[in-house]
Amino acid sequence: MSLPHAILTALLERPSSGLELARRFDRSIGYFWSATHQQIYRELGRLERSGCIRALASERPARGRKKEYEVLPPGRAELTGWVSGREDPKPVRDPLLLRMRAAAVVGTDGLPDELRRHLALHERQLADYADIEARDFSGAPGTAAGTTTGPTAETTPEKPPERTEAPTEADRLRHLVLRAGMDLERLWVDWLTEALRETSAAPAGPDGV
């Protein structure tokens, strides 16, 4: 059920067309809840049919016009109820961890190269998040200034976010989302670094053969 709630969240932040919403996902919510453009368009249709959103009226001719959507009271109520509800953590299902377990019985030949590739990807993502934090937040962890980007909101490269004198509750919550992403990337960087040390020290064949 999380995709419709992600869409409701984005539309409450700013009414958008389907295309604009898909682009916003690519550079914000998509960092932690990815969806294809087709999935987003399909979910917009469901939300509109259920009365959670509606297309805004436009004075432009219908031909070639991009429908912009806004959230209706039932949509806001649905999102509010979901935020206050209960949901258990999802079990981890990561192919790399399974491959590591398989390597214990068939050997680690070729695995270090893949570990190094994953390490580089996580280091790059962590650096991107750090750039976002440096650009959009200031002060000690947990304090924010200005509107956020990356996993939290959207800012065009041509127009940096305007700073505010004091962080709002929305700023602090968005910063928490960003910090969660950074902490996860640090965890992977640390684990992959240790995994590379272990696999480099171990023989390549199964059971030391």
Side-chain angles (χ1 to χ4, degrees):
M1 283 289 289
S2 293
L3 179 55
H5 298 113
I7 290 174
L8 289 171
T9 298
L11 291 178
L12 279 171
E13 290 175 344
R14 185 172 76 243
S16 302
S17 68
L19 179 60
E20 182 186 6
L21 186 64
R23 289 173 175 169
R24 290 174 62 198
F25 258 72
D26 288 343
R27 63 178 185 265
S28 60
I29 292 177
Y31 279 98
F32 57 89
W33 195 268
S34 61
T36 66
H37 290 198
Q38 184 180 18
Q39 288 172 325
I40 291 170
Y41 278 105
R42 187 163 54 241
E43 197 58 53
L44 281 170
R46 292 195 186 106
L47 288 168
E48 187 175 21
R49 289 191 297 273
S50 68
C52 289
I53 65 174
R54 70 177 177 187
L56 289 168
S58 175
E59 296 179 356
R60 294 177 58 188
R63 186 176 181 180
R65 173 173 56 88
K66 297 175 183 177
K67 287 199 300 184
E68 286 199 343
Y69 296 92
E70 68 174 355
V71 177
L72 295 172
R76 178 181 283 273
E78 168 62 31
L79 188 61
T80 300
W82 181 71
V83 167
S84 62
R86 298 178 62 181
E87 188 170 353
D88 293 335
K90 301 296 183 186
V92 174
R93 296 183 63 183
D94 191 285
L96 184 61
L97 298 180
L98 183 57
R99 292 170 71 177
M100 198 74 152
R101 182 65 180 264
V105 293
V106 301
T108 61
D109 188 33
L111 183 60
D113 287 341
E114 182 67 356
L115 293 175
R116 278 188 284 271
R117 188 178 73 86
H118 278 251
L119 177 59
L121 291 172
H122 285 289
E123 287 176 334
R124 188 183 312 156
Q125 187 64 75
L126 179 58
D128 288 345
Y129 286 165
D131 287 344
I132 291 168
E133 185 176 47
R135 183 177 66 238
D136 299 330
F137 296 99
S138 63
T143 64
T147 306
T148 63
T149 61
T152 51
E154 302 84 29
T155 300
T156 60
E158 296 80 8
K159 185 179 180 182
E162 295 181 359
R163 300 292 178 176
T164 57
E165 293 184 358
T168 65
E169 181 182 44
D171 289 328
R172 291 192 296 270
L173 293 176
R174 290 167 180 149
H175 194 192
L176 277 171
V177 175
L178 176 61
R179 288 163 56 198
M182 296 177 72
D183 287 345
L184 286 171
E185 294 303 325
R186 290 190 188 101
L187 184 150
W188 275 113
V189 167
D190 291 345
W191 182 84
L192 285 161
T193 301
E194 181 181 359
L196 277 167
R197 284 197 300 265
E198 293 292 335
T199 55
S200 298
D207 299 324
V209 177

